[in-house]
Amino acid sequence: MRLLITGGRVIDPASGVDGILDILVEDGQILQVGQGVQGSEASASSAEPSRDQGKKSKRLGDQEASTTNVDRVIDASGKIVVPGLIDMHVHLREPGREDEETIASGTAAAARGGFTSICCMPNTEPVNDTASVTEYILEQTQKVGRVHVFPIGCISRGQQGKELAEIGELVAAGCVGLSDDGKPVMDAELMRRAMEYATMFDVPLVPHCEDLSLAAGGVMHEGRVSTELGFKGIPSASEAVMVGRDILLSEYTGAPLHICHVSTGESIRLIREARRRGVRVSGEATPHHLILTDEAVRDFNTNAKMNPPLRSAEDVAALREAVIDGTIEVIATDHAPHARAEKEMEFDYAPFGIIGLETALSLILTEFYHSRLLTLPMIVERMALSPARILKLKHKGTLAAGADADVTIIDPDREWIVEEQELTSKSKNSPFIGWKLKGKAVMTIVAGQVVWETT
Ligand SMILES: [Zn+2]
Ligand SMILES: [Zn+2]
């Protein structure tokens, strides 16, 4: 299978490329990137006969293949061609809650959002704390997955926070990081030992930082709005004290640490100072924490309920600054599907979390690219290159020759409205339904195969 992507603005920060170029893809790999690339040139040395001589493409927007050695020519003129986006933080719900999301539906939503790889968090039913669960996820992905799935394994057995999970076994089975996400690891000694193992196996710890004794019973950010609404608040400190603890443990053990869904100014200050000292710490921000504040809770919409909660305007400003200056290197969704009946409960009782795979890129383009806060290369770094580097995903996050042919093609000016019935995810719990967004993935290519496209 050979694809030729022509005339797009190719942005690949890993190789310093930003220009109108063509890309030739063969057998799931990037073969060549350059000007005037033609399928025939690259295969001139090969005696392989054409597989589809004379065949004409019927797809809209395609040119007729300029050479008989190419299966499809994709005209990307006017579009942006970037390394396939990687979402480090997704809840796929399979196994256990297939009514909310499955590996099939979640990866289809990812493809639609421009993601070619996603990491799935281990708080499924059963949790991913053994090789058999990891293997199940990878086998299901082989069968029905639209994009690559990299599982994250549990830190503690059963996510109970008492004993370590079989970390070596999880890594050997294919886990690329460790987390008890959904829950924090409250026991500092257990976290220390997890970090020592993580160092041994060279996988990052990806903790959900929350001190439960401070957060207990809270349903939204603790501040003026929670006081006015009469809801129990979750103070910023409940996150920051755990970020501080984990930074100190990472500094002590040398373990690579990636902080999930950073939401407060205090956490950012701690991460920034630690990075200056050379601690191996990185962090991620979600589009919703970068765009919404606790004011969104005022209409009691349970799609404004997530953990960590939507914070104050000052926190959002600090988070934006951190994403812009690179203190926060990654944008990830924390895609958390929930059944409608559960989200339709009263605010106090509804579960935390929202979906995000199909809106993340468009929200970032709308709010950051079109308002000139982030350039396209900066967005590619935060949504593809940095995740690949932190997770040590070889041959991903770049379009250099020899890299995996995971490619996202973006129309930065395409305007669209988020409509519930258009969402591929099985769950529809998004606060962005009805929003008009500018910019969209229009084609997603995984291992050299077009897995999603729109005209
Ligand atoms: Zn979490
Ligand atoms: Zn999560």
Side-chain angles (χ1 to χ4, degrees):
M1 182 74 181
R2 289 162 70 93
L3 292 179
L4 184 61
I5 306 167
T6 63
R9 177 180 163 196
V10 176
I11 299 177
D12 181 25
S15 43
V17 165
D18 184 350
I20 306 295
L21 298 167
D22 305 329
I23 298 180
L24 181 64
V25 165
E26 185 180 61
D27 296 334
Q29 278 196 325
I30 306 284
L31 201 62
Q32 198 183 348
V33 181
Q35 280 176 337
V37 174
Q38 292 202 342
S40 55
E41 283 174 12
S43 63
S45 59
S46 143
E48 184 188 350
S50 164
R51 277 161 289 183
D52 61 347
Q53 207 153 13
K55 188 171 116 189
K56 280 184 187 166
S57 169
K58 290 186 187 70
R59 293 184 187 86
L60 213 70
D62 282 11
Q63 297 168 342
E64 194 174 328
S66 61
T67 156
T68 49
N69 282 324
V70 174
D71 295 283
R72 183 173 173 191
V73 177
I74 296 159
D75 176 11
S77 49
K79 310 282 196 304
I80 312 293
V81 182
V82 304
L85 304 182
I86 301 170
D87 188 351
M88 289 182 68
H89 194 146
V90 172
H91 297 270
L92 284 176
R93 304 297 188 216
E94 183 178 356
R97 284 304 303 267
E98 289 82 356
D99 59 315
E100 294 186 328
E101 198 77 283
T102 60
I103 289 166
S105 67
T107 56
R112 218 179 149 93
F115 293 100
T116 57
S117 295
I118 59 178
C119 289
C120 59
M121 284 296 179
N123 61 337
T124 44
E125 298 171 20
V127 298
N128 184 8
D129 65 350
T130 57
S132 61
V133 178
T134 307
E135 283 158 7
Y136 169 80
I137 293 166
L138 293 172
E139 281 162 21
Q140 264 312 90
T141 303
Q142 279 293 321
K143 280 188 218 152
V144 298
R146 209 69 90 76
V147 305
H148 303 291
V149 174
F150 295 97
I152 289 183
C154 289
I155 292 172
S156 71
R157 197 183 295 273
Q159 288 200 334
Q160 295 298 308
K162 296 201 172 69
E163 331 158 55
L164 285 183
E166 294 292 341
I167 290 174
E169 178 187 312
L170 289 167
V171 173
C175 287
V176 297
L178 300 166
S179 182
D180 273 359
D181 185 46
K183 290 179 183 171
V185 174
M186 286 299 294
D187 185 322
E189 200 273 333
L190 190 76
M191 191 59 154
R192 175 201 169 162
R193 281 192 289 127
M195 286 199 184
E196 286 166 352
Y197 274 96
T199 312
M200 220 145 60
F201 296 107
D202 207 26
V203 290
L205 264 297
V206 191
H208 167 119
C209 288
E210 179 184 17
D211 186 310
L212 293 176
S213 62
L214 285 168
V219 296
M220 67 173 292
H221 173 62
E222 181 178 294
R224 191 169 46 84
V225 182
S226 68
T227 307
E228 285 175 25
L229 297 177
F231 282 138
K232 184 148 179 3
I234 301 172
S236 301
S238 67
E239 175 180 299
V241 296
M242 287 301 244
V243 170
R245 183 200 74 177
D246 288 351
I247 284 172
L248 291 171
L249 290 173
S250 159
E251 194 166 12
Y252 188 60
T253 58
L257 176 67
H258 176 80
I259 313 269
C260 282
H261 44 50
V262 176
S263 72
T264 80
E266 293 93 323
S267 304
I268 289 157
R269 204 171 62 223
L270 292 165
I271 293 168
R272 189 174 280 132
E273 286 167 3
R275 288 167 66 88
R276 281 202 195 113
R277 288 202 304 280
V279 182
R280 295 174 75 189
V281 59
S282 57
E284 75 195 17
T286 70
H288 51 275
H289 288 116
L290 285 165
I291 291 167
L292 302 174
T293 69
D294 56 351
E295 291 289 336
V297 179
R298 282 196 191 277
D299 62 3
F300 304 106
N301 183 347
T302 57
N303 289 332
K305 183 176 178 181
M306 54 282 280
N307 188 11
L310 298 172
R311 299 286 187 185
S312 69
E314 293 75 34
D315 289 312
V316 173
L319 199 58
R320 285 181 165 230
E321 188 192 341
V323 166
I324 292 163
D325 75 14
T327 300
I328 297 288
E329 292 170 88
V330 172
I331 296 170
T333 64
D334 196 4
H335 178 87
H338 286 293
R340 186 182 298 277
E342 289 175 19
K343 266 297 198 187
E344 279 177 356
M345 282 195 264
E346 275 178 63
F347 197 88
D348 269 330
Y349 303 106
F352 293 104
I354 59 163
I355 55 170
L357 284 168
E358 294 169 80
T359 50
L361 172 65
S362 296
L363 284 165
I364 296 302
L365 290 170
T366 305
E367 296 276 331
F368 286 84
Y369 168 65
H370 287 296
S371 56
R372 298 177 192 276
L373 294 172
L374 289 174
T375 62
L376 290 169
M378 287 163 93
I379 292 171
V380 174
E381 277 185 29
R382 283 147 187 75
M383 298 184 79
L385 179 56
S386 296
R389 186 176 45 71
I390 290 164
L391 296 163
K392 301 189 176 65
L393 305 180
K394 283 203 189 97
H395 312 299
K396 300 209 183 292
T398 175
L399 293 172
D404 294 343
D406 296 342
V407 185
T408 304
I409 302 181
I410 298 166
D411 181 342
D413 297 316
R414 176 81 59 96
E415 294 191 0
W416 65 291
I417 292 169
V418 183
E419 312 239 32
E420 184 177 315
Q421 63 273 18
E422 296 286 313
L423 294 172
T424 305
S425 174
K426 274 195 160 186
S427 294
K428 313 294 175 189
N429 50 312
S430 167
F432 300 110
I433 286 167
W435 281 42
K436 187 176 178 189
L437 302 179
K438 189 172 183 183
K440 198 180 203 308
V442 292
M443 184 180 283
T444 306
I445 299 169
V446 173
Q449 306 282 336
V450 176
V451 296
W452 187 76
E453 65 185 301
T454 182
T455 48

